[in-house]
mmCIF file of all heavy atoms in Angstrom:
data_model
loop_
_atom_site.group_PDB
_atom_site.id
_atom_site.type_symbol
_atom_site.label_atom_id
_atom_site.label_comp_id
_atom_site.label_asym_id
_atom_site.label_seq_id
_atom_site.Cartn_x
_atom_site.Cartn_y
_atom_site.Cartn_z
ATOM 1 N N ALA A 24 138.489 182.274 148.452
ATOM 2 C CA ALA A 24 137.053 182.003 148.939
ATOM 3 C C ALA A 24 136.417 180.822 148.201
ATOM 4 O O ALA A 24 135.711 179.964 148.712
ATOM 5 C CB ALA A 24 136.188 183.173 148.731
ATOM 6 N N ALA A 25 136.813 180.729 146.883
ATOM 7 C CA ALA A 25 136.266 179.556 146.106
ATOM 8 C C ALA A 25 136.771 178.154 146.517
ATOM 9 O O ALA A 25 136.186 177.226 146.550
ATOM 10 C CB ALA A 25 136.617 179.760 144.555
ATOM 11 N N ARG A 26 138.093 178.198 147.003
ATOM 12 C CA ARG A 26 138.742 176.962 147.513
ATOM 13 C C ARG A 26 138.116 176.639 148.765
ATOM 14 O O ARG A 26 137.988 175.347 149.120
ATOM 15 C CB ARG A 26 140.284 177.187 147.651
ATOM 16 C CG ARG A 26 140.962 177.094 146.303
ATOM 17 C CD ARG A 26 142.469 176.928 146.402
ATOM 18 N NE ARG A 26 143.016 177.952 147.257
ATOM 19 C CZ ARG A 26 143.599 179.080 146.837
ATOM 20 N NH1 ARG A 26 143.680 179.301 145.454
ATOM 21 N NH2 ARG A 26 144.196 179.927 147.678
ATOM 22 N N THR A 27 137.749 177.504 149.735
ATOM 23 C CA THR A 27 137.401 177.191 151.082
ATOM 24 C C THR A 27 135.924 177.044 151.166
ATOM 25 O O THR A 27 135.485 176.721 152.343
ATOM 26 C CB THR A 27 137.959 178.284 151.991
ATOM 27 O OG1 THR A 27 137.457 179.618 151.601
ATOM 28 C CG2 THR A 27 139.496 178.281 152.093
ATOM 29 N N ARG A 28 135.187 177.453 150.087
ATOM 30 C CA ARG A 28 133.655 177.485 150.252
ATOM 31 C C ARG A 28 133.333 175.942 150.363
ATOM 32 O O ARG A 28 133.659 175.153 149.565
ATOM 33 C CB ARG A 28 133.035 178.047 149.046
ATOM 34 C CG ARG A 28 131.432 178.093 149.163
ATOM 35 C CD ARG A 28 130.976 178.725 147.869
ATOM 36 N NE ARG A 28 131.428 180.012 147.607
ATOM 37 C CZ ARG A 28 132.051 180.483 146.567
ATOM 38 N NH1 ARG A 28 132.359 179.523 145.594
ATOM 39 N NH2 ARG A 28 132.431 181.586 146.465
ATOM 40 N N PRO A 29 132.360 175.600 151.334
ATOM 41 C CA PRO A 29 131.886 174.234 151.572
ATOM 42 C C PRO A 29 131.146 173.773 150.240
ATOM 43 O O PRO A 29 130.150 174.582 149.973
ATOM 44 C CB PRO A 29 131.120 174.230 152.881
ATOM 45 C CG PRO A 29 130.864 175.690 153.128
ATOM 46 C CD PRO A 29 131.867 176.449 152.428
ATOM 47 N N ARG A 30 131.413 172.758 149.683
ATOM 48 C CA ARG A 30 130.669 172.223 148.597
ATOM 49 C C ARG A 30 129.930 170.962 148.943
ATOM 50 O O ARG A 30 130.347 170.115 149.603
ATOM 51 C CB ARG A 30 131.678 171.791 147.445
ATOM 52 C CG ARG A 30 132.495 172.953 146.854
ATOM 53 C CD ARG A 30 133.376 172.453 145.982
ATOM 54 N NE ARG A 30 134.339 171.464 146.534
ATOM 55 C CZ ARG A 30 135.642 171.473 146.317
ATOM 56 N NH1 ARG A 30 136.248 172.355 145.523
ATOM 57 N NH2 ARG A 30 136.497 170.544 146.970
ATOM 58 N N PRO A 31 128.587 170.985 148.589
ATOM 59 C CA PRO A 31 127.762 169.797 148.922
ATOM 60 C C PRO A 31 128.270 168.579 148.120
ATOM 61 O O PRO A 31 128.614 168.605 147.015
ATOM 62 C CB PRO A 31 126.375 170.242 148.391
ATOM 63 C CG PRO A 31 126.639 171.171 147.420
ATOM 64 C CD PRO A 31 127.844 171.895 147.760
ATOM 65 N N SER A 32 128.242 167.444 148.883
ATOM 66 C CA SER A 32 128.534 166.100 148.292
ATOM 67 C C SER A 32 127.452 165.571 147.529
ATOM 68 O O SER A 32 126.372 166.245 147.603
ATOM 69 C CB SER A 32 129.068 165.268 149.406
ATOM 70 O OG SER A 32 128.041 164.939 150.246
ATOM 71 N N SER A 33 127.424 164.420 147.208
ATOM 72 C CA SER A 33 126.393 163.756 146.392
ATOM 73 C C SER A 33 125.302 163.602 147.384
ATOM 74 O O SER A 33 124.087 163.508 146.873
ATOM 75 C CB SER A 33 126.834 162.313 145.800
ATOM 76 O OG SER A 33 127.355 161.458 146.835
ATOM 77 N N GLY A 34 125.418 163.292 148.647
ATOM 78 C CA GLY A 34 124.233 163.061 149.611
ATOM 79 C C GLY A 34 123.698 164.263 150.109
ATOM 80 O O GLY A 34 122.877 164.276 151.017
ATOM 81 N N GLY A 35 124.135 165.578 149.683
ATOM 82 C CA GLY A 35 123.618 166.796 150.043
ATOM 83 C C GLY A 35 124.236 167.283 151.381
ATOM 84 O O GLY A 35 123.883 168.272 151.979
ATOM 85 N N ARG A 36 125.419 166.626 151.824
ATOM 86 C CA ARG A 36 126.211 167.099 152.904
ATOM 87 C C ARG A 36 127.499 167.810 152.479
ATOM 88 O O ARG A 36 127.991 167.447 151.522
ATOM 89 C CB ARG A 36 126.610 165.815 153.798
ATOM 90 C CG ARG A 36 125.473 165.115 154.468
ATOM 91 C CD ARG A 36 125.962 163.751 155.054
ATOM 92 N NE ARG A 36 126.943 163.894 155.982
ATOM 93 C CZ ARG A 36 126.833 164.101 157.226
ATOM 94 N NH1 ARG A 36 125.554 164.141 157.696
ATOM 95 N NH2 ARG A 36 127.699 164.225 158.095
ATOM 96 N N PRO A 37 127.854 168.848 153.158
ATOM 97 C CA PRO A 37 128.987 169.623 152.892
ATOM 98 C C PRO A 37 130.227 168.665 152.977
ATOM 99 O O PRO A 37 130.275 167.732 153.745
ATOM 100 C CB PRO A 37 129.098 170.785 153.809
ATOM 101 C CG PRO A 37 127.616 170.885 154.343
ATOM 102 C CD PRO A 37 127.116 169.653 154.237
ATOM 103 N N VAL A 38 131.247 168.888 152.100
ATOM 104 C CA VAL A 38 132.438 167.955 152.097
ATOM 105 C C VAL A 38 133.130 168.131 153.425
ATOM 106 O O VAL A 38 133.706 167.042 153.938
ATOM 107 C CB VAL A 38 133.381 168.536 150.982
ATOM 108 C CG1 VAL A 38 134.734 167.732 151.019
ATOM 109 C CG2 VAL A 38 132.623 168.309 149.558
ATOM 110 N N TRP A 39 133.243 169.264 154.066
ATOM 111 C CA TRP A 39 133.974 169.405 155.296
ATOM 112 C C TRP A 39 133.302 168.636 156.421
ATOM 113 O O TRP A 39 134.118 168.174 157.413
ATOM 114 C CB TRP A 39 134.090 170.878 155.746
ATOM 115 C CG TRP A 39 132.713 171.573 155.938
ATOM 116 C CD1 TRP A 39 132.033 172.243 155.126
ATOM 117 C CD2 TRP A 39 131.961 171.582 157.210
ATOM 118 N NE1 TRP A 39 130.897 172.690 155.621
ATOM 119 C CE2 TRP A 39 130.921 172.362 156.927
ATOM 120 C CE3 TRP A 39 132.183 171.104 158.436
ATOM 121 C CZ2 TRP A 39 129.870 172.645 157.804
ATOM 122 C CZ3 TRP A 39 131.297 171.363 159.351
ATOM 123 C CH2 TRP A 39 130.104 172.020 159.113
ATOM 124 N N MET A 40 132.068 168.227 156.340
ATOM 125 C CA MET A 40 131.515 167.363 157.375
ATOM 126 C C MET A 40 131.880 165.850 157.255
ATOM 127 O O MET A 40 131.858 165.170 158.228
ATOM 128 C CB MET A 40 129.954 167.525 157.421
ATOM 129 C CG MET A 40 129.415 168.836 157.736
ATOM 130 S SD MET A 40 127.577 169.033 157.723
ATOM 131 C CE MET A 40 127.235 167.752 158.997
ATOM 132 N N GLY A 41 132.175 165.589 156.023
ATOM 133 C CA GLY A 41 132.578 164.098 155.813
ATOM 134 C C GLY A 41 131.384 163.187 155.679
ATOM 135 O O GLY A 41 130.173 163.511 156.033
ATOM 136 N N GLU A 42 131.687 161.940 155.253
ATOM 137 C CA GLU A 42 130.647 161.000 155.281
ATOM 138 C C GLU A 42 130.409 160.355 156.522
ATOM 139 O O GLU A 42 131.410 160.090 157.310
ATOM 140 C CB GLU A 42 130.950 159.944 154.209
ATOM 141 C CG GLU A 42 131.001 160.418 152.759
ATOM 142 C CD GLU A 42 129.667 160.830 152.233
ATOM 143 O OE1 GLU A 42 128.627 160.382 152.843
ATOM 144 O OE2 GLU A 42 129.617 161.775 151.448
ATOM 145 N N PRO A 43 129.190 160.107 156.979
ATOM 146 C CA PRO A 43 128.926 159.430 158.246
ATOM 147 C C PRO A 43 129.551 157.986 158.229
ATOM 148 O O PRO A 43 129.281 157.250 157.319
ATOM 149 C CB PRO A 43 127.395 159.435 158.441
ATOM 150 C CG PRO A 43 126.959 159.555 157.039
ATOM 151 C CD PRO A 43 127.907 160.329 156.139
ATOM 152 N N SER A 44 130.116 157.609 159.318
ATOM 153 C CA SER A 44 130.618 156.244 159.395
ATOM 154 C C SER A 44 129.509 155.264 159.846
ATOM 155 O O SER A 44 128.450 155.693 160.179
ATOM 156 C CB SER A 44 131.673 156.290 160.617
ATOM 157 O OG SER A 44 131.101 156.605 161.851
ATOM 158 N N LYS A 45 129.743 154.050 159.455
ATOM 159 C CA LYS A 45 128.756 153.040 159.682
ATOM 160 C C LYS A 45 128.629 152.787 161.217
ATOM 161 O O LYS A 45 127.382 152.546 161.674
ATOM 162 C CB LYS A 45 129.331 151.577 159.062
ATOM 163 C CG LYS A 45 129.340 151.680 157.599
ATOM 164 C CD LYS A 45 129.794 150.321 157.010
ATOM 165 C CE LYS A 45 129.881 150.311 155.523
ATOM 166 N NZ LYS A 45 130.263 149.006 154.966
ATOM 167 N N LEU A 46 129.591 152.994 162.017
ATOM 168 C CA LEU A 46 129.471 152.867 163.345
ATOM 169 C C LEU A 46 128.460 153.942 163.932
ATOM 170 O O LEU A 46 127.617 153.747 164.810
ATOM 171 C CB LEU A 46 130.683 153.037 164.083
ATOM 172 C CG LEU A 46 130.726 152.875 165.617
ATOM 173 C CD1 LEU A 46 130.098 151.546 166.083
ATOM 174 C CD2 LEU A 46 132.185 153.130 166.314
ATOM 175 N N GLY A 47 128.680 155.297 163.429
ATOM 176 C CA GLY A 47 127.782 156.247 163.921
ATOM 177 C C GLY A 47 126.397 156.130 163.444
ATOM 178 O O GLY A 47 125.362 156.356 164.218
ATOM 179 N N VAL A 48 126.128 155.638 162.240
ATOM 180 C CA VAL A 48 124.756 155.324 161.730
ATOM 181 C C VAL A 48 124.222 154.271 162.643
ATOM 182 O O VAL A 48 122.885 154.321 163.052
ATOM 183 C CB VAL A 48 124.803 155.003 160.235
ATOM 184 C CG1 VAL A 48 123.475 154.575 159.792
ATOM 185 C CG2 VAL A 48 125.309 156.223 159.352
ATOM 186 N N GLY A 49 124.880 153.234 162.871
ATOM 187 C CA GLY A 49 124.349 152.218 163.654
ATOM 188 C C GLY A 49 124.073 152.624 165.157
ATOM 189 O O GLY A 49 123.042 152.188 165.657
ATOM 190 N N ALA A 50 124.946 153.466 165.614
ATOM 191 C CA ALA A 50 124.675 153.905 167.098
ATOM 192 C C ALA A 50 123.395 154.816 167.165
ATOM 193 O O ALA A 50 122.571 154.711 167.992
ATOM 194 C CB ALA A 50 125.781 154.696 167.528
ATOM 195 N N ARG A 51 123.206 155.606 165.942
ATOM 196 C CA ARG A 51 122.009 156.447 166.155
ATOM 197 C C ARG A 51 120.758 155.625 165.912
ATOM 198 O O ARG A 51 119.674 155.805 166.597
ATOM 199 C CB ARG A 51 122.068 157.481 164.964
ATOM 200 C CG ARG A 51 123.047 158.707 165.240
ATOM 201 C CD ARG A 51 122.715 159.805 164.260
ATOM 202 N NE ARG A 51 123.113 159.462 162.858
ATOM 203 C CZ ARG A 51 124.305 159.680 162.345
ATOM 204 N NH1 ARG A 51 125.345 160.166 163.022
ATOM 205 N NH2 ARG A 51 124.527 159.284 161.099
ATOM 206 N N GLY A 52 120.837 154.618 164.965
ATOM 207 C CA GLY A 52 119.735 153.696 164.876
ATOM 208 C C GLY A 52 119.364 152.914 166.068
ATOM 209 O O GLY A 52 118.255 152.675 166.484
ATOM 210 N N LEU A 53 120.429 152.470 166.838
ATOM 211 C CA LEU A 53 120.232 151.789 168.140
ATOM 212 C C LEU A 53 119.559 152.692 169.152
ATOM 213 O O LEU A 53 118.549 152.256 169.865
ATOM 214 C CB LEU A 53 121.574 151.280 168.623
ATOM 215 C CG LEU A 53 121.518 150.466 169.934
ATOM 216 C CD1 LEU A 53 120.653 149.315 169.882
ATOM 217 C CD2 LEU A 53 122.935 150.200 170.454
ATOM 218 N N VAL A 54 119.995 153.925 169.255
ATOM 219 C CA VAL A 54 119.439 154.857 170.236
ATOM 220 C C VAL A 54 117.934 155.159 169.911
ATOM 221 O O VAL A 54 117.062 155.125 170.767
ATOM 222 C CB VAL A 54 120.222 156.178 170.164
ATOM 223 C CG1 VAL A 54 119.525 157.166 171.143
ATOM 224 C CG2 VAL A 54 121.651 155.955 170.775
ATOM 225 N N LEU A 55 117.681 155.386 168.533
ATOM 226 C CA LEU A 55 116.321 155.658 168.183
ATOM 227 C C LEU A 55 115.393 154.339 168.400
ATOM 228 O O LEU A 55 114.292 154.505 168.853
ATOM 229 C CB LEU A 55 116.269 156.066 166.765
ATOM 230 C CG LEU A 55 116.833 157.341 166.311
ATOM 231 C CD1 LEU A 55 116.887 157.585 164.869
ATOM 232 C CD2 LEU A 55 115.958 158.558 167.012
ATOM 233 N N GLY A 56 115.976 153.189 168.046
ATOM 234 C CA GLY A 56 115.211 152.056 168.315
ATOM 235 C C GLY A 56 114.829 151.757 169.788
ATOM 236 O O GLY A 56 113.769 151.369 170.163
ATOM 237 N N LEU A 57 115.854 152.037 170.737
ATOM 238 C CA LEU A 57 115.537 151.902 172.132
ATOM 239 C C LEU A 57 114.575 152.901 172.560
ATOM 240 O O LEU A 57 113.832 152.677 173.431
ATOM 241 C CB LEU A 57 116.911 151.990 172.883
ATOM 242 C CG LEU A 57 117.968 150.928 172.733
ATOM 243 C CD1 LEU A 57 119.312 151.222 173.518
ATOM 244 C CD2 LEU A 57 117.348 149.694 173.200
ATOM 245 N N GLY A 58 114.686 154.171 172.032
ATOM 246 C CA GLY A 58 113.721 155.140 172.362
ATOM 247 C C GLY A 58 112.295 154.804 171.974
ATOM 248 O O GLY A 58 111.389 154.892 172.786
ATOM 249 N N CYS A 59 112.095 154.157 170.787
ATOM 250 C CA CYS A 59 110.912 153.757 170.359
ATOM 251 C C CYS A 59 110.339 152.529 171.257
ATOM 252 O O CYS A 59 109.100 152.484 171.504
ATOM 253 C CB CYS A 59 110.832 153.272 168.852
ATOM 254 S SG CYS A 59 111.129 154.558 167.680
ATOM 255 N N LEU A 60 111.105 151.682 171.610
ATOM 256 C CA LEU A 60 110.754 150.524 172.484
ATOM 257 C C LEU A 60 110.416 151.095 173.815
ATOM 258 O O LEU A 60 109.353 150.573 174.392
ATOM 259 C CB LEU A 60 111.898 149.564 172.611
ATOM 260 C CG LEU A 60 112.200 148.675 171.407
ATOM 261 C CD1 LEU A 60 113.431 147.722 171.683
ATOM 262 C CD2 LEU A 60 111.008 147.869 171.003
ATOM 263 N N ALA A 61 111.094 152.059 174.291
ATOM 264 C CA ALA A 61 110.726 152.607 175.693
ATOM 265 C C ALA A 61 109.339 153.254 175.670
ATOM 266 O O ALA A 61 108.611 153.259 176.690
ATOM 267 C CB ALA A 61 111.796 153.652 176.054
ATOM 268 N N VAL A 62 108.859 153.702 174.495
ATOM 269 C CA VAL A 62 107.601 154.279 174.449
ATOM 270 C C VAL A 62 106.471 153.270 174.055
ATOM 271 O O VAL A 62 105.354 153.230 174.656
ATOM 272 C CB VAL A 62 107.550 155.491 173.317
ATOM 273 C CG1 VAL A 62 106.186 155.900 173.242
ATOM 274 C CG2 VAL A 62 108.515 156.569 173.795
ATOM 275 N N LEU A 63 106.800 152.305 173.213
ATOM 276 C CA LEU A 63 105.781 151.366 172.644
ATOM 277 C C LEU A 63 105.563 150.183 173.602
ATOM 278 O O LEU A 63 104.333 149.763 173.652
ATOM 279 C CB LEU A 63 106.181 150.931 171.269
ATOM 280 C CG LEU A 63 106.309 151.948 170.133
ATOM 281 C CD1 LEU A 63 106.667 151.410 168.838
ATOM 282 C CD2 LEU A 63 104.933 152.524 169.957
ATOM 283 N N VAL A 64 106.604 149.760 174.251
ATOM 284 C CA VAL A 64 106.360 148.527 175.089
ATOM 285 C C VAL A 64 105.362 148.752 176.267
ATOM 286 O O VAL A 64 104.486 148.107 176.490
ATOM 287 C CB VAL A 64 107.725 148.046 175.555
ATOM 288 C CG1 VAL A 64 107.554 146.997 176.775
ATOM 289 C CG2 VAL A 64 108.591 147.528 174.446
ATOM 290 N N PRO A 65 105.530 149.949 176.978
ATOM 291 C CA PRO A 65 104.476 150.141 178.163
ATOM 292 C C PRO A 65 103.165 150.322 177.530
ATOM 293 O O PRO A 65 102.176 149.780 178.132
ATOM 294 C CB PRO A 65 104.920 151.453 178.727
ATOM 295 C CG PRO A 65 106.427 151.487 178.451
ATOM 296 C CD PRO A 65 106.601 150.926 177.022
ATOM 297 N N PHE A 66 102.954 151.005 176.336
ATOM 298 C CA PHE A 66 101.550 151.225 175.786
ATOM 299 C C PHE A 66 100.946 149.771 175.378
ATOM 300 O O PHE A 66 99.787 149.506 175.425
ATOM 301 C CB PHE A 66 101.615 152.085 174.556
ATOM 302 C CG PHE A 66 100.223 152.326 174.021
ATOM 303 C CD1 PHE A 66 99.327 153.120 174.634
ATOM 304 C CD2 PHE A 66 99.813 151.766 172.903
ATOM 305 C CE1 PHE A 66 98.075 153.463 174.244
ATOM 306 C CE2 PHE A 66 98.549 152.007 172.295
ATOM 307 C CZ PHE A 66 97.733 152.855 172.988
#
């Protein structure tokens, strides 16, 4: 149980989740940016 228990990493994320890739972070930022533009540009 001690070996398999998920341990938080330095960023507060469990080790088994792994570190987010730069591509994933960039994709999420792009989607959020497009969502903000879709709301702000018409207004």
